[in-house]
Amino acid sequence: MPAERLMPNDESQDLIDLTREICRDKLAPQVDAMEAAHEFPREVFRLLGRSGLLTLAYPEELGGGGQPYEVYLQVVEEIAYAWMSVAVGVSVHSLTCFPVATYGTEEQQRDLLTGMLSGEQLGAYCLSEPQAGSDVASMTTRATRQGDSGPYTLRGTKAWISHAGHADFYTTFARTSDEGSRGISCFVVPGDAPGLGFAEPERKMGLDCDTVRQVYYEGVEVDEGRRIGAEGQGMPIALAALDAGRLGIAACATGLAQAALDVAVRYARERVQFGRTIGEFQGLAFLLADMEAHVQQARATYLLAARMKDAGREVGKQASVAKLTATDAAMQVTTDAVQVLGGAGYTMDFPVERYLREAKVTQIFEGTNQIQRLVISRALLRG
């Protein structure tokens, strides 16, 4: 049961139809086997890139798809419906391109963004560290300048990095001074840079195709032309990028919740107990109704935020509302889907146990939901 959508024009509806076709024919047949094998789906990202689905949110003149966020996020939701790990990867890649597209010079956009938006490259976003998660300003990875015009040398460790070891470039935030949040700068590090290393993949409870590792910077040299924005501008760049990234995760969570709901509804229509389908029992029917309401609430919040962003309005608070609402909804709906299936839901014979495991991390990454509440409450109290 694909989600009901009211797209802004025929072109965007065609884009949704294309996405559904690719998800049905190319992604869905291999998701179970690849998730079980913990295999990074690099060829899937290349397929999405060649199909124009990897960089939809960026202007055509920069090499992107020229689509509004309202459309881009619904495409991400459709991908998440089929394969959550891949949808998260699409959102992460879009996040990695944001600093260059938004804060880069024309020369940087020409030299760097062309490849980033080509569909062939894949990026990683390196902000968090082992001791600097929610408290980004406490990062210790340092970029030291060699003279007034020489390259920077990066030393430190980043943690929880999607695509690590597979990415073609690493959008990296490092300390260039000791001025707290004002001492952080942004760099684009080539994936083959000498001194760039990786830990073993994290052993996670879900998103097994989303390879996550620590990234080591052991004397990595980066030219000045790969510093995005001015020295010390990294924190505003990172926070602006995260607003966009949170919307991507909200869309991912909504697609995951829709997938779980649909499995539960199909099962409730088919499973017979006491001479009736279990969906005929009011207690379970009402549970399905609540699940549907959660999914629609999630979709409504991220679409509102997307339309505000497309209108050029401040979106920080609304992005946090969308991320909070959609990811909490995904956790609730996937939990309820397992309950609807009963013992079957607790087995790997049905995908809802995987959906439940995948939903949990959405409440954690791109800023925990406690951080989202902090952002929202501060915005309210500022007036």
Side-chain angles (χ1 to χ4, degrees):
M1 295 184 297
E4 291 186 61
R5 302 199 183 278
L6 185 61
M7 304 305 293
N9 51 50
D10 290 342
E11 179 188 1
S12 59
Q13 183 60 54
D14 290 344
L15 196 54
I16 290 294
D17 293 341
L18 170 65
T19 304
R20 287 176 172 171
E21 179 182 345
I22 291 173
C23 288
R24 182 189 67 239
D25 297 343
K26 302 297 184 182
L27 272 62
Q30 56 180 320
V31 56
D32 291 336
M34 291 193 69
E35 286 288 334
H38 295 207
E39 185 176 348
F40 186 74
R42 188 64 182 88
E43 289 305 313
V44 172
F45 288 117
R46 289 194 176 95
L47 169 64
L48 295 178
R50 290 193 295 270
S51 303
L53 302 181
L54 200 56
T55 55
L56 287 173
Y58 294 101
E60 289 180 292
E61 58 268 24
L62 298 180
Q67 294 298 316
Y69 248 72
E70 176 186 359
V71 174
Y72 156 66
L73 291 178
Q74 292 185 83
V75 168
V76 171
E77 185 195 332
E78 290 287 342
I79 296 171
Y81 183 87
W83 195 342
M84 183 64 168
S85 290
V86 171
V88 169
V90 171
S91 179
V92 167
H93 177 73
S94 184
L95 178 66
T96 67
C97 300
F98 181 92
V100 180
T102 309
Y103 294 88
T105 65
E106 289 185 8
E107 182 179 3
Q108 287 172 328
Q109 290 177 355
R110 183 179 64 250
D111 294 345
L112 300 175
L113 201 60
T114 301
M116 297 163 95
L117 299 181
S118 68
E120 292 297 321
Q121 291 188 11
L122 193 65
Y125 192 76
C126 302
L127 180 63
S128 295
E129 297 184 0
Q131 302 303 322
S134 298
D135 183 12
V136 173
S138 67
M139 72 170 60
T140 59
T141 297
R142 184 168 290 273
T144 305
R145 191 86 180 265
Q146 300 174 20
D148 294 333
S149 59
Y152 292 84
T153 300
L154 274 62
R155 298 185 185 278
T157 301
K158 294 294 180 178
W160 311 112
I161 307 305
S162 292
H163 307 163
H166 300 284
D168 299 291
F169 62 91
Y170 294 79
T171 299
T172 301
F173 295 85
R175 183 164 298 287
T176 47
S177 80
D178 294 321
E179 297 181 69
S181 62
R182 296 185 179 87
I184 296 169
S185 301
C186 179
F187 302 88
V188 177
V189 179
D192 58 357
L196 196 63
F198 310 96
E200 288 297 309
E202 302 287 351
R203 296 181 297 171
K204 310 192 298 329
M205 68 181 286
L207 294 181
D208 291 321
C209 287
D210 174 26
T211 303
V212 171
R213 292 181 170 104
Q214 289 190 350
V215 179
Y216 304 135
Y217 299 80
E218 299 174 339
V220 176
E221 288 196 357
V222 182
D223 292 337
E224 181 182 18
R226 286 180 169 266
R227 188 194 72 218
I228 309 304
E231 278 198 9
Q233 197 179 3
M235 182 63 83
I237 293 174
L239 294 180
L242 284 175
D243 283 343
R246 285 165 181 163
L247 293 181
I249 296 306
C252 289
T254 304
L256 183 66
Q258 182 73 62
L261 170 63
D262 286 357
V263 172
V265 169
R266 285 196 298 270
Y267 191 83
R269 287 171 172 170
E270 297 169 0
R271 173 72 167 167
V272 175
Q273 291 287 278
F274 305 102
R276 291 189 289 174
T277 64
I278 61 173
E280 295 179 68
F281 292 95
Q282 188 180 76
L284 194 141
F286 281 11
L287 180 61
L288 294 173
D290 287 342
M291 293 164 69
E292 168 73 1
H294 286 312
V295 173
Q296 292 207 27
Q297 288 163 3
R299 185 172 296 120
T301 56
Y302 89 65
L303 283 176
L304 173 60
R307 289 162 183 158
M308 290 175 64
K309 182 174 176 60
D310 289 333
R313 296 173 62 178
E314 162 58 36
V315 77
K317 181 185 74 173
Q318 196 60 41
S320 287
V321 169
K323 199 271 186 184
L324 173 66
T325 302
T327 59
D328 280 356
M331 195 70 239
Q332 185 64 57
V333 171
T334 55
T335 300
D336 289 343
V338 172
Q339 192 70 25
V340 170
L341 271 66
Y346 198 66
T347 73
M348 294 185 180
D349 295 333
F350 290 86
V352 290
E353 63 82 28
R354 171 163 58 84
Y355 295 161
L356 174 60
R357 291 184 287 107
E358 291 174 336
K360 183 60 210 176
V361 75
T362 66
Q363 297 177 304
I364 298 171
F365 57 18
E366 303 288 9
T368 67
N369 282 8
Q370 287 69 35
I371 290 294
Q372 306 314 315
R373 289 177 170 89
L374 182 63
V375 171
I376 295 164
S377 61
R378 284 179 174 174
L380 290 172
L381 293 170
R382 278 198 307 267

